[in-house]
Short mmCIF file of all heavy atoms in Angstrom, two decimals:
data_model
loop_
_atom_site.label_atom_id
_atom_site.label_comp_id
_atom_site.label_asym_id
_atom_site.label_seq_id
_atom_site.Cartn_x
_atom_site.Cartn_y
_atom_site.Cartn_z
N MET A 207 236.18 71.25 66.30
CA MET A 207 237.23 72.26 66.57
C MET A 207 237.95 72.04 67.98
O MET A 207 237.15 71.80 68.87
CB MET A 207 236.65 73.72 66.46
CG MET A 207 237.77 74.66 66.63
SD MET A 207 237.18 76.44 66.50
CE MET A 207 237.14 76.61 64.72
N HIS A 208 239.17 72.06 68.02
CA HIS A 208 239.92 71.90 69.23
C HIS A 208 239.53 73.03 70.22
O HIS A 208 239.50 74.14 69.75
CB HIS A 208 241.42 71.77 68.97
CG HIS A 208 242.12 71.15 70.15
ND1 HIS A 208 242.43 71.92 71.24
CD2 HIS A 208 242.61 69.94 70.42
CE1 HIS A 208 243.15 71.16 72.10
NE2 HIS A 208 243.22 69.93 71.56
N VAL A 209 239.50 72.70 71.52
CA VAL A 209 239.03 73.68 72.50
C VAL A 209 240.10 74.77 72.54
O VAL A 209 239.68 75.96 72.93
CB VAL A 209 238.81 73.03 73.87
CG1 VAL A 209 240.18 72.44 74.36
CG2 VAL A 209 238.16 74.00 74.87
N VAL A 210 241.34 74.52 72.33
CA VAL A 210 242.35 75.61 72.34
C VAL A 210 242.01 76.68 71.33
O VAL A 210 242.09 77.90 71.57
CB VAL A 210 243.71 75.04 72.18
CG1 VAL A 210 244.74 76.21 71.86
CG2 VAL A 210 244.23 74.29 73.41
N ASP A 211 241.59 76.20 70.15
CA ASP A 211 241.20 77.23 69.13
C ASP A 211 239.91 77.95 69.41
O ASP A 211 239.78 79.04 69.08
CB ASP A 211 241.22 76.46 67.75
CG ASP A 211 242.59 75.93 67.34
OD1 ASP A 211 243.56 76.53 67.59
OD2 ASP A 211 242.65 74.79 66.85
N VAL A 212 238.95 77.12 69.98
CA VAL A 212 237.74 77.76 70.28
C VAL A 212 237.96 78.85 71.32
O VAL A 212 237.32 79.91 71.15
CB VAL A 212 236.74 76.67 70.93
CG1 VAL A 212 235.51 77.28 71.62
CG2 VAL A 212 236.32 75.68 69.80
N ALA A 213 238.83 78.63 72.25
CA ALA A 213 239.11 79.67 73.29
C ALA A 213 239.69 81.00 72.64
O ALA A 213 239.37 82.05 73.08
CB ALA A 213 240.06 79.10 74.33
N LYS A 214 240.45 80.79 71.54
CA LYS A 214 240.91 81.99 70.86
C LYS A 214 239.76 82.73 70.25
O LYS A 214 239.73 84.05 70.29
CB LYS A 214 241.80 81.56 69.76
CG LYS A 214 243.11 80.92 70.16
CD LYS A 214 243.93 80.50 68.97
CE LYS A 214 245.08 79.61 69.32
NZ LYS A 214 245.87 79.16 68.17
N TYR A 215 238.73 82.12 69.72
CA TYR A 215 237.59 82.75 69.22
C TYR A 215 236.81 83.48 70.18
O TYR A 215 236.26 84.60 70.02
CB TYR A 215 236.72 81.84 68.41
CG TYR A 215 237.19 81.48 67.04
CD1 TYR A 215 237.89 80.38 66.84
CD2 TYR A 215 236.97 82.40 65.98
CE1 TYR A 215 238.44 79.97 65.54
CE2 TYR A 215 237.41 82.02 64.73
CZ TYR A 215 238.12 80.91 64.43
OH TYR A 215 238.63 80.64 63.10
N PHE A 216 236.79 82.88 71.45
CA PHE A 216 236.07 83.65 72.49
C PHE A 216 236.80 84.97 72.87
O PHE A 216 236.09 85.93 72.94
CB PHE A 216 236.12 82.80 73.79
CG PHE A 216 234.90 81.86 73.97
CD1 PHE A 216 234.94 80.63 73.34
CD2 PHE A 216 233.81 82.18 74.69
CE1 PHE A 216 233.93 79.71 73.48
CE2 PHE A 216 232.74 81.39 74.81
CZ PHE A 216 232.80 80.11 74.22
N PHE A 217 238.05 84.92 72.82
CA PHE A 217 238.81 86.19 73.18
C PHE A 217 238.68 87.17 72.08
O PHE A 217 238.43 88.35 72.31
CB PHE A 217 240.33 85.84 73.40
CG PHE A 217 241.12 87.11 73.69
CD1 PHE A 217 241.01 87.74 74.94
CD2 PHE A 217 241.86 87.65 72.71
CE1 PHE A 217 241.68 88.84 75.13
CE2 PHE A 217 242.60 88.79 72.96
CZ PHE A 217 242.51 89.47 74.21
N VAL A 218 238.80 86.84 70.80
CA VAL A 218 238.67 87.74 69.75
C VAL A 218 237.29 88.26 69.67
O VAL A 218 237.07 89.42 69.31
CB VAL A 218 239.02 87.09 68.39
CG1 VAL A 218 238.73 87.97 67.17
CG2 VAL A 218 240.53 86.68 68.42
N ALA A 219 236.30 87.43 70.02
CA ALA A 219 234.85 87.91 70.07
C ALA A 219 234.64 89.02 70.89
O ALA A 219 233.66 89.88 70.73
CB ALA A 219 233.96 86.78 70.43
N THR A 220 235.52 89.36 71.93
CA THR A 220 235.41 90.46 72.72
C THR A 220 235.38 91.77 71.98
O THR A 220 234.68 92.68 72.38
CB THR A 220 236.57 90.57 73.77
OG1 THR A 220 236.71 89.28 74.41
CG2 THR A 220 236.42 91.62 74.78
N ASN A 221 236.09 91.79 70.84
CA ASN A 221 236.08 92.93 69.92
C ASN A 221 234.82 93.11 69.02
O ASN A 221 234.73 94.08 68.36
CB ASN A 221 237.31 92.85 69.10
CG ASN A 221 238.65 92.85 69.78
OD1 ASN A 221 238.78 93.49 70.87
ND2 ASN A 221 239.53 92.03 69.42
N TYR A 222 234.01 92.00 69.11
CA TYR A 222 232.83 92.11 68.24
C TYR A 222 231.51 92.23 69.05
O TYR A 222 230.46 92.07 68.49
CB TYR A 222 232.82 90.79 67.40
CG TYR A 222 233.87 90.74 66.34
CD1 TYR A 222 235.13 90.39 66.60
CD2 TYR A 222 233.55 91.32 64.99
CE1 TYR A 222 236.15 90.35 65.68
CE2 TYR A 222 234.58 91.33 64.06
CZ TYR A 222 235.86 90.86 64.38
OH TYR A 222 236.87 90.88 63.38
N VAL A 223 231.65 92.55 70.27
CA VAL A 223 230.43 92.86 71.17
C VAL A 223 230.17 94.38 70.96
O VAL A 223 231.00 95.25 71.11
CB VAL A 223 230.74 92.54 72.60
CG1 VAL A 223 229.47 92.77 73.41
CG2 VAL A 223 231.22 91.14 72.81
N SER A 224 228.93 94.64 70.52
CA SER A 224 228.57 96.00 70.33
C SER A 224 227.06 96.20 70.70
O SER A 224 226.40 95.34 71.30
CB SER A 224 228.69 96.36 68.83
OG SER A 224 227.76 95.56 68.04
N GLU A 225 226.44 97.30 70.32
CA GLU A 225 225.14 97.60 70.63
C GLU A 225 224.18 96.69 69.84
O GLU A 225 222.96 96.69 70.07
CB GLU A 225 224.79 99.08 70.43
CG GLU A 225 225.37 100.04 71.42
CD GLU A 225 226.78 100.30 71.17
OE1 GLU A 225 227.32 99.95 70.07
OE2 GLU A 225 227.44 100.89 72.01
N LYS A 226 224.70 96.15 68.80
CA LYS A 226 223.83 95.32 67.88
C LYS A 226 223.96 93.80 68.30
O LYS A 226 225.12 93.30 68.56
CB LYS A 226 224.37 95.47 66.40
CG LYS A 226 223.55 94.69 65.33
CD LYS A 226 224.12 94.91 64.00
CE LYS A 226 223.33 94.04 62.96
NZ LYS A 226 223.78 94.27 61.60
N PHE A 227 222.87 93.11 68.28
CA PHE A 227 222.88 91.66 68.64
C PHE A 227 223.47 90.83 67.54
O PHE A 227 223.01 90.95 66.37
CB PHE A 227 221.49 91.20 68.96
CG PHE A 227 221.33 89.72 69.29
CD1 PHE A 227 221.90 89.34 70.46
CD2 PHE A 227 220.71 88.85 68.44
CE1 PHE A 227 221.82 87.91 70.81
CE2 PHE A 227 220.65 87.54 68.76
CZ PHE A 227 221.14 87.06 69.99
N GLU A 228 224.56 90.14 67.80
CA GLU A 228 225.24 89.39 66.80
C GLU A 228 225.36 87.91 67.21
O GLU A 228 225.63 87.57 68.37
CB GLU A 228 226.67 89.94 66.50
CG GLU A 228 226.63 91.30 65.87
CD GLU A 228 226.24 91.41 64.44
OE1 GLU A 228 225.86 90.33 63.86
OE2 GLU A 228 226.28 92.49 63.87
N ILE A 229 225.28 86.98 66.18
CA ILE A 229 225.48 85.56 66.40
C ILE A 229 226.54 85.08 65.41
O ILE A 229 226.50 85.47 64.25
CB ILE A 229 224.28 84.79 66.22
CG1 ILE A 229 223.10 85.23 67.18
CG2 ILE A 229 224.45 83.22 66.35
CD1 ILE A 229 221.78 84.60 66.97
N TYR A 230 227.47 84.29 65.88
CA TYR A 230 228.48 83.69 65.04
C TYR A 230 228.66 82.22 65.31
O TYR A 230 228.61 81.73 66.45
CB TYR A 230 229.91 84.35 65.37
CG TYR A 230 229.89 85.83 65.13
CD1 TYR A 230 229.68 86.74 66.13
CD2 TYR A 230 230.22 86.36 63.86
CE1 TYR A 230 229.68 88.09 65.95
CE2 TYR A 230 230.30 87.75 63.63
CZ TYR A 230 230.02 88.58 64.64
OH TYR A 230 230.01 89.90 64.45
N ASN A 231 228.71 81.46 64.14
CA ASN A 231 229.12 80.08 64.25
C ASN A 231 230.53 79.94 64.59
O ASN A 231 231.35 80.58 63.90
CB ASN A 231 228.87 79.31 62.82
CG ASN A 231 227.39 79.00 62.58
OD1 ASN A 231 226.56 78.96 63.60
ND2 ASN A 231 227.03 78.90 61.38
N ILE A 232 230.88 79.03 65.58
CA ILE A 232 232.35 78.83 65.89
C ILE A 232 232.62 77.34 65.49
O ILE A 232 232.18 76.50 66.29
CB ILE A 232 232.60 79.12 67.38
CG1 ILE A 232 232.22 80.60 67.61
CG2 ILE A 232 234.13 78.91 67.57
CD1 ILE A 232 232.99 81.63 66.76
N ALA A 233 233.27 77.13 64.44
CA ALA A 233 233.55 75.76 63.97
C ALA A 233 234.57 75.82 62.91
O ALA A 233 235.14 76.83 62.59
CB ALA A 233 232.23 75.12 63.41
N SER A 234 235.03 74.57 62.37
CA SER A 234 236.06 74.57 61.38
C SER A 234 235.54 74.69 60.03
O SER A 234 236.30 75.02 59.05
CB SER A 234 236.79 73.21 61.52
OG SER A 234 235.90 72.11 61.15
N GLY A 235 234.24 74.39 59.78
CA GLY A 235 233.68 74.44 58.44
C GLY A 235 234.03 73.08 57.65
O GLY A 235 233.83 73.13 56.48
N CYS A 236 234.43 72.13 58.38
CA CYS A 236 234.77 70.85 57.77
C CYS A 236 233.97 69.76 58.31
O CYS A 236 233.65 69.69 59.51
CB CYS A 236 236.24 70.55 57.96
SG CYS A 236 237.44 71.58 57.27
N SER A 237 233.41 68.85 57.48
CA SER A 237 232.54 67.78 57.87
C SER A 237 233.32 66.43 58.01
O SER A 237 234.04 66.11 57.07
CB SER A 237 231.42 67.63 56.85
OG SER A 237 230.59 66.58 57.14
N THR A 238 233.20 65.76 59.13
CA THR A 238 233.86 64.50 59.29
C THR A 238 232.87 63.56 59.93
O THR A 238 232.08 63.92 60.78
CB THR A 238 234.95 64.72 60.41
OG1 THR A 238 235.78 65.80 60.02
CG2 THR A 238 235.84 63.47 60.53
N THR A 239 232.94 62.30 59.32
CA THR A 239 231.97 61.32 59.80
C THR A 239 232.44 60.72 61.08
O THR A 239 233.62 60.73 61.45
CB THR A 239 231.88 60.09 58.74
OG1 THR A 239 233.16 59.41 58.74
CG2 THR A 239 231.56 60.54 57.39
N VAL A 240 231.46 60.10 61.89
CA VAL A 240 231.75 59.58 63.17
C VAL A 240 232.65 58.40 62.88
O VAL A 240 233.58 58.10 63.68
CB VAL A 240 230.43 59.12 63.80
CG1 VAL A 240 230.69 58.33 65.10
CG2 VAL A 240 229.65 60.38 64.21
N GLN A 241 232.43 57.73 61.81
CA GLN A 241 233.36 56.47 61.58
C GLN A 241 234.79 56.95 61.40
O GLN A 241 235.79 56.29 61.85
CB GLN A 241 232.92 55.76 60.23
CG GLN A 241 233.65 54.50 59.99
CD GLN A 241 232.87 53.65 59.01
OE1 GLN A 241 231.95 54.09 58.21
NE2 GLN A 241 233.32 52.41 58.83
N ASP A 242 235.04 58.07 60.77
CA ASP A 242 236.32 58.58 60.51
C ASP A 242 236.94 59.04 61.86
O ASP A 242 238.21 58.82 62.08
CB ASP A 242 236.45 59.68 59.44
CG ASP A 242 236.24 59.13 58.00
OD1 ASP A 242 236.33 57.97 57.79
OD2 ASP A 242 235.89 59.92 57.17
N ILE A 243 236.17 59.69 62.61
CA ILE A 243 236.63 60.17 63.94
C ILE A 243 237.08 59.00 64.74
O ILE A 243 238.23 58.95 65.37
CB ILE A 243 235.61 60.92 64.65
CG1 ILE A 243 235.36 62.36 64.02
CG2 ILE A 243 235.92 61.08 66.17
CD1 ILE A 243 236.52 63.24 64.27
N LEU A 244 236.22 57.87 64.86
CA LEU A 244 236.58 56.70 65.62
C LEU A 244 237.78 56.00 65.00
O LEU A 244 238.65 55.47 65.66
CB LEU A 244 235.35 55.85 65.76
CG LEU A 244 234.22 56.39 66.61
CD1 LEU A 244 233.06 55.39 66.58
CD2 LEU A 244 234.72 56.69 68.05
N GLY A 245 237.85 56.00 63.64
CA GLY A 245 239.02 55.46 63.05
C GLY A 245 240.37 56.07 63.46
O GLY A 245 241.36 55.40 63.81
N LEU A 246 240.30 57.38 63.55
CA LEU A 246 241.49 58.13 64.06
C LEU A 246 241.80 57.75 65.52
O LEU A 246 242.96 57.67 65.92
CB LEU A 246 241.35 59.62 63.87
CG LEU A 246 241.32 60.26 62.42
CD1 LEU A 246 240.84 61.67 62.49
CD2 LEU A 246 242.69 60.07 61.84
N LEU A 247 240.75 57.71 66.32
CA LEU A 247 240.84 57.40 67.76
C LEU A 247 241.38 56.06 67.99
O LEU A 247 242.40 55.87 68.77
CB LEU A 247 239.52 57.63 68.43
CG LEU A 247 239.52 57.42 69.93
CD1 LEU A 247 240.09 58.73 70.64
CD2 LEU A 247 238.11 57.23 70.52
N TYR A 248 240.88 55.07 67.32
CA TYR A 248 241.31 53.64 67.45
C TYR A 248 242.77 53.55 67.03
O TYR A 248 243.61 52.89 67.67
CB TYR A 248 240.45 52.77 66.64
CG TYR A 248 239.24 52.19 67.43
CD1 TYR A 248 238.28 53.14 67.84
CD2 TYR A 248 239.06 50.88 67.70
CE1 TYR A 248 237.14 52.68 68.51
CE2 TYR A 248 237.95 50.41 68.27
CZ TYR A 248 237.02 51.31 68.76
OH TYR A 248 235.88 50.81 69.40
N LEU A 249 243.16 54.23 65.95
CA LEU A 249 244.52 54.23 65.42
C LEU A 249 245.51 54.82 66.61
O LEU A 249 246.53 54.24 66.85
CB LEU A 249 244.66 54.95 64.16
CG LEU A 249 246.07 55.01 63.56
CD1 LEU A 249 246.54 53.64 63.11
CD2 LEU A 249 246.01 55.95 62.22
N ALA A 250 245.03 55.95 66.99
CA ALA A 250 245.90 56.63 68.03
C ALA A 250 246.02 55.78 69.31
O ALA A 250 247.07 55.80 70.02
CB ALA A 250 245.33 58.01 68.41
N TYR A 251 244.97 55.05 69.63
CA TYR A 251 244.97 54.23 70.89
C TYR A 251 245.93 53.00 70.72
O TYR A 251 246.43 52.40 71.68
CB TYR A 251 243.59 53.82 71.22
CG TYR A 251 243.44 53.61 72.75
CD1 TYR A 251 242.86 54.55 73.54
CD2 TYR A 251 243.79 52.34 73.23
CE1 TYR A 251 242.73 54.45 74.92
CE2 TYR A 251 243.64 52.17 74.66
CZ TYR A 251 243.12 53.17 75.42
OH TYR A 251 242.95 53.00 76.80
N GLY A 252 246.10 52.61 69.44
CA GLY A 252 246.99 51.36 69.25
C GLY A 252 246.30 50.09 69.38
O GLY A 252 247.01 49.07 69.62
N THR A 253 244.92 50.12 69.12
CA THR A 253 244.17 48.85 69.22
C THR A 253 243.95 48.29 67.81
O THR A 253 243.82 48.94 66.87
CB THR A 253 242.85 49.05 69.93
OG1 THR A 253 242.16 47.77 69.95
CG2 THR A 253 242.07 50.08 69.25
N ASN A 254 243.89 46.97 67.77
CA ASN A 254 243.54 46.38 66.46
C ASN A 254 242.04 46.20 66.26
O ASN A 254 241.55 45.64 65.23
CB ASN A 254 244.23 44.96 66.37
CG ASN A 254 245.77 45.06 66.36
OD1 ASN A 254 246.23 46.01 65.62
ND2 ASN A 254 246.47 44.26 66.96
N GLU A 255 241.27 46.49 67.21
CA GLU A 255 239.79 46.41 67.18
C GLU A 255 239.27 47.41 66.28
O GLU A 255 239.92 48.40 65.96
CB GLU A 255 239.19 46.56 68.55
CG GLU A 255 239.66 45.52 69.63
CD GLU A 255 239.17 44.23 69.50
OE1 GLU A 255 238.08 44.07 68.78
OE2 GLU A 255 239.77 43.14 69.91
#
Side-chain angles (χ1 to χ4, degrees):
M207 180 179 281
H208 197 279
V209 65
V210 167
D211 298 320
V212 169
K214 293 177 189 175
Y215 280 98
F216 272 85
F217 178 73
V218 175
T220 309
N221 298 321
Y222 289 86
V223 184
S224 67
E225 288 78 12
K226 183 180 178 183
F227 179 67
E228 297 282 6
I229 298 174
Y230 298 94
N231 286 335
I232 305 298
S234 67
C236 297
S237 178
T238 307
T239 66
V240 171
Q241 185 166 13
D242 285 344
I243 287 289
L244 291 178
L246 290 171
L247 185 77
Y248 272 61
L249 180 64
Y251 207 97
T253 177
N254 293 323
E255 303 287 335

